[in-house]
Amino acid sequence: MSGRPWDERACDDRVRDEGTSDERPVGERVRDDPARGGRSGEEAVRADRVRDEEADEEAVRDHRALAEAFERERARLVRVAYATTGSVAEAEDCVQEAWLRLRGLDDPGAIRDLRAWLTTTVGRLALDALGSARVRRERYVGTWLPEPLVEAAPADDPAERVTLDESVSMALLVVLEQLSPAQRTAFLLHDVFGVPFDEVADVVGRTPAAVRQLAARARRDVELGRPRFPPTIGQQREIAEAFADACQGGDLEGLVALLDPDVRLRGDGGGKVSAVRHIERGAGHVARLLIGFTRRPLRQLRIAQVNGAPGLVVSGADGNLSVVAFTVDAGRITDVDVVRNPDKLTAVHLLDESR
């Protein structure tokens, strides 16, 4: 009887049964383990490390590609949220939240239509933000106007850019403010941003048939407030420049000639700076108010893109900013909307372009 442990004898029996024998130390046999392709332990560790690094690099590339795809949609998404909420800050918050949700998905690559997914996600977030914003607006001092979306005037030839950006026009936003949140969202997502009714229904929590009715009612109201003969960008810029010259020069007659006889003037000071408290009407009356406002020398005045169309950014003698948006129909100004509430102008800067 041998003195070796039973398990070693059993091991020898298995080796003989398999017709193989390997008397090398265990460490050498492990380094040449066939399961590792005959590689040494160090080589296997290096190979594993390379695979991990390649996987990390692929994840970084996927994340970068996802971020680039998102950035290509950002401007459009901001407009979706802004048209819904009337607030640039809230729109940017909605878009940022959509990015966080997209990045948090287990497999963003499984989304078949990223643009559609982002649009409905931002639409849903904007609808939620609009609900809470309406409660705050009930306590607002004076006339509430949307936070203006101000961009530098385009450098290209206005004749090459004929169409105004109606999706964010002040005229549209003022009309939308009279609609229910569900009507506003249904109209914007479907009619303006091209989202199918089935997907809009998911956003507003209604049936597709109900959403069609919401959009139809909103469409009728929007059509009533839409200019019948809107200007081109070049035409509106000429009117904005003539308006500025008449106001600064105290040209009452010239200003009246630019205004529709039933023109409306709205001002939003938020109770923090002076502004007209109610809607003022009539060309003569509105012209006198505007010239009175600008009779003191202005620090600066420039043409800018205001809600997708040429408007004005004005710095008064007191340093307070005003953003002026125009609605033009058949060559005359039908609405003048002046936003002066400093809380709504934090993102507005006076650029070097001045008059």
Side-chain angles (χ1 to χ4, degrees), residues 85 130 134 137 144 172-179 184:
T85 63
L130 178 61
R134 290 219 161 189
R137 289 172 197 172
W144 183 91
L172 175 63
L173 296 182
V174 170
V175 173
L176 292 179
E177 192 61 23
Q178 311 306 315
L179 306 180
R184 182 173 186 156

Side-chain angles (χ1 to χ4, degrees), residues 179 183-184 187 213-223:
L179 306 180
Q183 283 180 314
R184 182 173 186 156
F187 171 80
Q213 293 180 348
L214 289 172
R217 288 196 293 268
R219 197 176 300 124
R220 287 193 294 269
D221 290 340
V222 169
E223 286 298 327

Side-chain angles (χ1 to χ4, degrees), residues 90-138:
E90 288 179 344
E92 291 174 345
D93 288 346
C94 289
V95 173
Q96 182 63 22
E97 177 61 25
W99 164 246
L100 295 176
R101 293 189 181 190
L102 175 64
R103 194 177 63 178
L105 295 177
D106 292 335
D107 185 12
I111 298 174
R112 290 184 298 177
D113 188 338
L114 181 61
R115 167 175 272 212
W117 187 91
L118 288 170
T119 301
T120 55
T121 298
V122 168
R124 190 174 294 111
L125 291 167
L127 178 58
D128 292 342
L130 178 61
S132 58
R134 290 219 161 189
V135 175
R136 296 193 299 272
R137 289 172 197 172
E138 291 175 358

Side-chain angles (χ1 to χ4, degrees), residues 119 183-198 200 211-212 215-216 219:
T119 301
Q183 283 180 314
R184 182 173 186 156
T185 302
F187 171 80
L188 285 170
L189 289 183
H190 180 267
D191 284 36
V192 178
F193 295 104
V195 179
F197 278 124
D198 288 349
V200 178
V211 167
R212 287 178 184 274
R219 197 176 300 124

